Amino acid sequence: MVYKVIGLMSGSSLDGLDIIYTHLEEARGAWKYEIKHAACLPYSEDWQKDLNAVQNLSAPEFLKLHTRYGKFLADQIKNFITGNALQHQVDFIASHGHTAFHDPEAHTSAQLGCGATIAAHLQLPVISELRAMDVALGGQGAPIVPIGDKLLFSGYDYWLNIGGIVNISVKGADGIHAFDVCPGNQVLNILAEKEGKDMDENGDMAREGNLLQGVLSRLNEQAYFQESPPKSLNNDAAKQLAFPILLESAHDVKDLLHTFVCHIAEQVALGIKQKPATPENARMLITGGGAFNGFLIEKITEQLRDSQVEIVIPDAQTIKFKEALVMSLIGALRWREEVNVLSSATGASRDSVSGALWMGHS
């Protein structure tokens, strides 16, 4: 069976909306994919401001933004369909939305981007609210990508995604485990902005900096990094792990970038010690924007050398759009009413079929 899906992902780094059109094929339980079209659509300054300020909104303001962002997503999808001549070639849309609030301890997680609004404007089926059932079942609601690691990228033992937040999936004897490791690109980008840049291209500024050992120790000593998985971070919690520690004194930005890169690498190594994969000579697939940061990859490689973990950096399309691809798969599994979120990764009471289905046509 082939499913023709548009998948959407908006990450915590706010670098843009990832949108893909993919063909997902299932045959006798085995899945394969082909990404036909893909794009990252940058957010305007107004949208960046609105999405950054979402937690400060009143309930009525939040709901209005939820609807307005849904209309925005519908407009972007419509343009994507028109630009790639995909009319009458889309079975359904799988939209992650943009995480606005995440508190699994209170069994609550909210993603902006009203699925009903998207469906109504496009007259296509839309699957959204992909984390809600897992959180209701006591899970962290994150990471939810391990189902994609299992079904689409099964040739690896670790799957590391370096986005706004760094998360990892681990192949264990009793299933796939996953957790948020530490803050990632959102912190590196905030530091780069102090030098008038959107990002630290290839980690070049960090490479020129020096290690601030005292700052690194304070970052590493925080309670979150001592907790055992499963565990997850929302955007505010992630930023609080980095700031104000990084900015409490007048350190050079290059030194701060260098130090935070080392922090990420050390936390990845710690995560592997907390949840080691089964094989001795394991392979790690690295995706997300951080995979383009050469200095960060060098530091992770150094930290993992003693663990004999082989690092694999895939093609640029997989690096950029793996999460949007997995959202498409989660949508396809929801369409089939099959498990699409793994409790071994999130800590929920059971695996779940997660996602709300909105039928855009009569």
Coordinates of all heavy atoms in Angstrom, one line a residue, residues 224-288:
Y224 N 18.8 18.0 35.8 CA 18.2 17.3 34.7 C 19.2 16.3 34.1 O 18.7 15.2 33.8 CB 17.8 18.3 33.6 CG 17.2 17.6 32.4 CD1 15.9 17.2 32.4 CD2 18.0 17.3 31.3 CE1 15.3 16.6 31.3 CE2 17.4 16.6 30.2 CZ 16.1 16.3 30.2 OH 15.5 15.6 29.1
F225 N 20.4 16.6 34.1 CA 21.4 15.7 33.5 C 21.7 14.4 34.3 O 22.3 13.5 33.8 CB 22.7 16.4 33.1 CG 22.4 17.6 32.2 CD1 22.7 18.9 32.6 CD2 21.8 17.5 31.0 CE1 22.5 20.0 31.8 CE2 21.5 18.5 30.2 CZ 21.8 19.8 30.6
Q226 N 21.3 14.5 35.6 CA 21.5 13.3 36.4 C 20.3 12.4 36.5 O 20.3 11.3 37.0 CB 21.8 13.8 37.9 CG 22.8 15.0 38.0 CD 24.1 14.8 37.2 OE1 24.6 13.7 37.2 NE2 24.5 15.8 36.5
E227 N 19.2 12.9 35.9 CA 17.9 12.1 35.9 C 18.0 11.0 34.9 O 18.6 11.1 33.9 CB 16.7 13.0 35.6 CG 16.4 14.1 36.6 CD 15.3 15.0 36.1 OE1 14.6 14.7 35.1 OE2 15.1 16.1 36.7
S228 N 17.4 9.9 35.3 CA 17.4 8.7 34.4 C 16.2 8.9 33.4 O 15.2 9.4 33.7 CB 17.2 7.4 35.1 OG 18.2 7.2 36.0
P229 N 16.4 8.4 32.1 CA 15.3 8.5 31.1 C 14.2 7.5 31.5 O 14.4 6.6 32.3 CB 16.0 8.0 29.9 CG 17.5 8.1 30.1 CD 17.7 7.9 31.6
P230 N 12.9 7.7 31.0 CA 12.6 8.8 30.0 C 12.4 10.1 30.7 O 12.0 10.3 31.8 CB 11.2 8.3 29.5 CG 10.6 7.5 30.7 CD 11.8 6.8 31.4
K231 N 12.8 11.1 29.9 CA 12.7 12.5 30.3 C 12.6 13.4 29.1 O 13.1 13.0 28.0 CB 13.9 12.9 31.2 CG 15.2 12.7 30.6 CD 16.3 13.0 31.6 CE 17.7 12.8 30.9 NZ 18.8 13.1 31.9
S232 N 12.0 14.6 29.2 CA 11.9 15.5 28.1 C 11.9 16.9 28.5 O 11.8 17.2 29.7 CB 10.5 15.2 27.3 OG 9.4 15.5 28.2
L233 N 12.2 17.8 27.6 CA 12.3 19.2 27.8 C 11.3 20.0 27.0 O 11.2 19.7 25.8 CB 13.7 19.7 27.5 CG 14.9 19.2 28.4 CD1 16.2 19.5 27.7 CD2 14.8 19.9 29.8
N234 N 10.7 21.0 27.6 CA 10.0 22.0 26.7 C 11.0 23.1 26.4 O 12.1 23.2 26.9 CB 8.8 22.5 27.4 CG 9.0 23.2 28.7 OD1 10.0 23.9 28.9 ND2 8.1 23.0 29.7
N235 N 10.6 24.1 25.6 CA 11.5 25.1 25.1 C 12.0 26.0 26.3 O 13.2 26.3 26.4 CB 10.8 26.0 24.1 CG 10.6 25.3 22.8 OD1 11.2 24.3 22.5 ND2 9.7 25.8 22.0
D236 N 11.1 26.4 27.2 CA 11.6 27.2 28.3 C 12.5 26.5 29.2 O 13.5 27.0 29.7 CB 10.3 27.7 29.1 CG 9.7 28.9 28.5 OD1 10.2 29.4 27.4 OD2 8.7 29.4 29.0
A237 N 12.2 25.2 29.5 CA 13.1 24.4 30.4 C 14.5 24.3 29.8 O 15.5 24.3 30.5 CB 12.4 23.1 30.7
A238 N 14.5 24.1 28.4 CA 15.8 23.9 27.8 C 16.6 25.2 27.9 O 17.8 25.1 28.2 CB 15.5 23.5 26.3
K239 N 16.0 26.3 27.6 CA 16.7 27.6 27.7 C 17.2 27.8 29.2 O 18.3 28.4 29.4 CB 15.8 28.7 27.2 CG 15.5 28.7 25.7 CD 14.6 29.8 25.3 CE 14.3 29.8 23.8 NZ 13.3 30.8 23.4
Q240 N 16.4 27.4 30.1 CA 16.8 27.7 31.5 C 18.0 26.8 31.9 O 18.7 27.2 32.8 CB 15.6 27.3 32.5 CG 14.5 28.4 32.4 CD 13.2 27.9 33.1 OE1 13.2 26.9 33.8 NE2 12.1 28.7 32.9
L241 N 18.2 25.7 31.2 CA 19.4 24.9 31.5 C 20.7 25.6 30.9 O 21.8 25.3 31.3 CB 19.3 23.5 30.8 CG 18.3 22.6 31.5 CD1 18.1 21.3 30.7 CD2 18.7 22.2 32.9
A242 N 20.5 26.5 30.0 CA 21.6 27.2 29.4 C 21.8 28.7 29.9 O 23.0 29.1 30.1 CB 21.5 27.3 27.9
F243 N 20.7 29.3 30.2 CA 20.7 30.7 30.6 C 20.1 30.8 32.0 O 19.1 30.1 32.3 CB 20.0 31.6 29.6 CG 20.5 31.5 28.2 CD1 19.6 31.0 27.2 CD2 21.7 31.9 27.9 CE1 20.1 30.8 25.9 CE2 22.2 31.8 26.6 CZ 21.4 31.3 25.6
P244 N 20.6 31.6 32.9 CA 21.6 32.7 32.7 C 23.1 32.2 32.8 O 24.0 33.0 32.8 CB 21.3 33.7 33.8 CG 20.8 32.8 34.9 CD 20.0 31.7 34.2
I245 N 23.3 30.9 33.0 CA 24.7 30.5 33.3 C 25.7 31.0 32.2 O 26.8 31.5 32.5 CB 24.8 28.9 33.3 CG1 24.1 28.4 34.6 CG2 26.2 28.4 33.3 CD1 24.0 26.9 34.7
L246 N 25.3 30.9 30.9 CA 26.1 31.3 29.9 C 26.4 32.8 29.8 O 27.4 33.3 29.3 CB 25.6 30.9 28.5 CG 25.6 29.4 28.2 CD1 24.9 29.1 26.9 CD2 27.1 28.9 28.1
L247 N 25.5 33.6 30.4 CA 25.6 35.0 30.2 C 25.8 35.8 31.5 O 25.6 37.0 31.6 CB 24.3 35.5 29.5 CG 24.0 34.9 28.2 CD1 22.7 35.5 27.6 CD2 25.1 35.2 27.2
E248 N 26.2 35.1 32.6 CA 26.3 35.7 33.9 C 27.6 36.6 34.0 O 27.7 37.5 34.8 CB 26.3 34.7 35.0 CG 25.0 34.2 35.3 CD 25.0 33.2 36.5 OE1 26.0 32.7 36.8 OE2 23.9 33.0 37.1
S249 N 28.5 36.4 33.1 CA 29.7 37.3 33.1 C 30.0 37.6 31.6 O 29.5 37.0 30.7 CB 30.9 36.6 33.7 OG 31.2 35.3 33.1
A250 N 30.9 38.5 31.4 CA 31.2 39.1 30.1 C 32.2 38.2 29.3 O 33.2 38.7 28.9 CB 31.7 40.5 30.2
H251 N 31.8 37.0 29.1 CA 32.7 36.1 28.3 C 32.6 36.4 26.8 O 31.5 36.8 26.4 CB 32.4 34.6 28.6 CG 32.7 34.1 30.0 ND1 34.0 34.1 30.5 CD2 31.9 33.7 31.0 CE1 34.0 33.6 31.7 NE2 32.7 33.4 32.0
D252 N 33.6 36.1 26.1 CA 33.6 36.3 24.7 C 32.6 35.2 24.1 O 32.5 34.1 24.5 CB 35.0 36.0 24.1 CG 35.0 36.3 22.6 OD1 35.2 37.4 22.2 OD2 34.8 35.3 21.8
V253 N 31.8 35.7 23.1 CA 30.8 34.8 22.5 C 31.4 33.5 21.9 O 30.8 32.4 22.0 CB 30.0 35.5 21.4 CG1 29.1 34.6 20.6 CG2 29.1 36.6 22.0
K254 N 32.6 33.6 21.3 CA 33.2 32.5 20.7 C 33.6 31.4 21.8 O 33.5 30.2 21.6 CB 34.5 32.9 20.0 CG 34.2 33.7 18.7 CD 35.5 34.1 17.9 CE 35.1 34.8 16.7 NZ 36.3 35.3 15.9
D255 N 34.0 31.9 23.0 CA 34.3 31.0 24.1 C 33.0 30.4 24.6 O 33.0 29.2 24.9 CB 34.9 31.8 25.2 CG 36.3 32.3 24.9 OD1 36.9 31.9 23.9 OD2 36.8 33.2 25.6
L256 N 31.9 31.1 24.6 CA 30.6 30.5 25.1 C 30.1 29.5 24.1 O 29.7 28.4 24.5 CB 29.6 31.6 25.2 CG 29.8 32.6 26.4 CD1 28.8 33.8 26.3 CD2 29.8 32.0 27.7
L257 N 30.3 29.8 22.8 CA 29.9 28.8 21.8 C 30.7 27.5 21.9 O 30.2 26.4 21.8 CB 30.1 29.4 20.4 CG 29.0 30.4 19.9 CD1 29.4 31.2 18.7 CD2 27.7 29.6 19.6
H258 N 32.0 27.7 22.0 CA 32.9 26.5 22.2 C 32.5 25.7 23.4 O 32.5 24.5 23.3 CB 34.4 27.1 22.3 CG 35.4 26.0 22.4 ND1 36.3 25.7 21.4 CD2 35.7 25.1 23.4 CE1 37.1 24.7 21.7 NE2 36.7 24.3 23.0
T259 N 32.3 26.4 24.5 CA 31.9 25.7 25.7 C 30.6 24.9 25.6 O 30.5 23.8 26.1 CB 31.9 26.7 26.9 OG1 33.2 27.3 27.0 CG2 31.5 26.0 28.2
F260 N 29.6 25.6 25.0 CA 28.3 24.9 24.9 C 28.4 23.7 23.9 O 27.7 22.7 24.1 CB 27.2 25.9 24.5 CG 25.9 25.4 24.8 CD1 25.4 25.4 26.2 CD2 25.0 24.8 23.9 CE1 24.2 24.9 26.5 CE2 23.8 24.3 24.2 CZ 23.4 24.4 25.6
V261 N 29.2 23.8 22.9 CA 29.4 22.7 22.0 C 30.0 21.5 22.8 O 29.5 20.4 22.6 CB 30.3 23.1 20.8 CG1 30.8 21.8 20.1 CG2 29.5 23.9 19.8
C262 N 30.9 21.8 23.6 CA 31.5 20.7 24.4 C 30.5 20.2 25.4 O 30.5 18.9 25.7 CB 32.7 21.3 25.2 SG 34.2 21.7 24.2
H263 N 29.6 21.0 25.9 CA 28.6 20.6 26.8 C 27.6 19.6 26.1 O 27.3 18.5 26.6 CB 27.8 21.8 27.3 CG 26.5 21.5 28.0 ND1 26.4 20.8 29.2 CD2 25.2 21.7 27.6 CE1 25.2 20.6 29.6 NE2 24.4 21.2 28.6
I264 N 27.2 19.9 24.9 CA 26.3 19.0 24.1 C 27.0 17.7 23.9 O 26.4 16.6 24.1 CB 26.0 19.7 22.7 CG1 25.1 20.9 22.9 CG2 25.3 18.6 21.9 CD1 24.8 21.7 21.7
A265 N 28.3 17.7 23.5 CA 29.0 16.5 23.2 C 29.1 15.6 24.5 O 29.0 14.4 24.4 CB 30.4 16.8 22.7
E266 N 29.4 16.2 25.6 CA 29.5 15.5 26.8 C 28.2 14.9 27.3 O 28.1 13.7 27.8 CB 30.1 16.3 27.9 CG 31.6 16.7 27.7 CD 32.3 17.4 28.9 OE1 31.6 17.4 30.0 OE2 33.4 17.9 28.7
Q267 N 27.1 15.6 27.0 CA 25.8 15.1 27.4 C 25.4 14.0 26.5 O 24.7 13.0 26.9 CB 24.8 16.2 27.4 CG 25.0 17.2 28.6 CD 25.1 16.5 29.9 OE1 24.4 15.6 30.3 NE2 26.1 17.0 30.7
V268 N 25.7 14.0 25.2 CA 25.5 12.9 24.3 C 26.2 11.6 24.8 O 25.6 10.5 24.9 CB 25.9 13.2 22.9 CG1 25.8 12.0 22.0 CG2 25.0 14.3 22.3
A269 N 27.4 11.8 25.2 CA 28.2 10.7 25.7 C 27.6 10.1 27.0 O 27.5 8.9 27.2 CB 29.7 11.1 25.9
L270 N 27.2 11.0 27.9 CA 26.5 10.6 29.1 C 25.2 9.9 28.8 O 24.9 8.8 29.5 CB 26.2 11.8 30.0 CG 25.5 11.6 31.3 CD1 26.2 10.6 32.2 CD2 25.1 12.9 32.0
G271 N 24.5 10.4 27.9 CA 23.2 9.7 27.5 C 23.4 8.3 27.1 O 22.7 7.4 27.4
I272 N 24.5 8.0 26.3 CA 24.8 6.7 25.9 C 25.2 5.8 27.0 O 24.9 4.6 27.1 CB 25.9 6.8 24.8 CG1 25.4 7.3 23.5 CG2 26.6 5.4 24.6 CD1 26.4 7.4 22.4
K273 N 25.9 6.4 28.0 CA 26.2 5.6 29.2 C 25.0 5.2 30.0 O 24.9 4.2 30.6 CB 27.2 6.4 30.1 CG 28.6 6.5 29.5 CD 29.5 7.3 30.4 CE 30.9 7.5 29.7 NZ 31.8 8.3 30.6
Q274 N 24.0 6.2 30.0 CA 22.8 5.9 30.8 C 21.9 4.9 30.1 O 21.3 4.1 30.7 CB 22.0 7.2 30.9 CG 22.6 8.2 31.8 CD 21.8 9.5 31.9 OE1 21.2 10.0 30.9 NE2 21.7 10.1 33.1
K275 N 21.9 4.9 28.8 CA 21.1 3.9 28.0 C 22.0 3.4 26.8 O 21.8 3.8 25.7 CB 19.9 4.6 27.4 CG 18.8 4.8 28.4 CD 18.1 3.5 28.8 CE 16.9 3.8 29.7 NZ 16.3 2.5 30.1
P276 N 22.8 2.4 27.1 CA 23.7 1.8 26.1 C 22.9 0.9 25.1 O 22.0 0.2 25.6 CB 24.7 1.1 26.8 CG 24.1 0.7 28.1 CD 23.1 1.8 28.5
A277 N 23.3 0.9 23.9 CA 22.7 0.0 22.9 C 23.2 -1.4 23.1 O 24.2 -1.6 23.8 CB 22.9 0.5 21.5
T278 N 22.5 -2.4 22.5 CA 22.9 -3.8 22.7 C 24.3 -4.1 22.1 O 25.1 -4.7 22.8 CB 21.8 -4.7 22.2 OG1 20.6 -4.3 22.8 CG2 22.1 -6.1 22.5
P279 N 24.5 -3.8 20.8 CA 25.8 -4.3 20.2 C 27.0 -3.5 20.7 O 26.9 -2.3 21.1 CB 25.5 -4.1 18.7 CG 24.5 -3.0 18.6 CD 23.6 -3.2 19.8
E280 N 28.2 -4.1 20.6 CA 29.4 -3.5 21.1 C 29.8 -2.5 20.0 O 30.2 -1.3 20.4 CB 30.5 -4.5 21.3 CG 30.2 -5.4 22.5 CD 31.3 -6.4 22.8 OE1 32.3 -6.3 22.1 OE2 31.2 -7.2 23.7
N281 N 29.8 -2.8 18.7 CA 30.2 -1.9 17.7 C 29.0 -1.3 17.1 O 28.5 -1.7 16.0 CB 31.0 -2.7 16.6 CG 32.3 -3.2 17.2 OD1 33.1 -2.5 17.9 ND2 32.6 -4.5 16.9
A282 N 28.5 -0.3 17.8 CA 27.2 0.3 17.4 C 27.4 1.4 16.4 O 28.5 2.0 16.2 CB 26.5 0.9 18.6
R283 N 26.3 1.7 15.7 CA 26.3 2.8 14.7 C 25.2 3.8 15.1 O 24.2 3.5 15.5 CB 25.9 2.2 13.3 CG 26.8 1.1 12.8 CD 26.3 0.6 11.5 NE 26.6 1.5 10.4 CZ 25.8 1.7 9.4 NH1 24.6 1.1 9.3 NH2 26.1 2.5 8.4
M284 N 25.6 5.1 14.9 CA 24.8 6.2 15.2 C 24.5 7.1 14.0 O 25.4 7.6 13.3 CB 25.4 7.1 16.3 CG 24.6 8.4 16.6 SD 25.5 9.5 17.8 CE 25.2 8.6 19.3
L285 N 23.2 7.3 13.7 CA 22.8 8.2 12.7 C 22.5 9.6 13.3 O 21.7 9.7 14.2 CB 21.5 7.7 12.0 CG 20.9 8.5 10.8 CD1 21.8 8.4 9.6 CD2 19.5 8.1 10.5
I286 N 23.1 10.6 12.7 CA 23.0 11.9 13.2 C 22.2 12.8 12.2 O 22.7 12.9 11.0 CB 24.3 12.6 13.6 CG1 25.0 11.8 14.7 CG2 24.1 14.0 14.1 CD1 26.3 12.4 15.1
T287 N 21.1 13.4 12.6 CA 20.3 14.3 11.7 C 20.0 15.6 12.5 O 20.4 15.8 13.6 CB 19.0 13.6 11.3 OG1 18.3 13.2 12.4 CG2 19.3 12.4 10.4
G288 N 19.2 16.4 11.8 CA 18.9 17.7 12.4 C 20.0 18.8 12.0 O 21.1 18.4 11.6

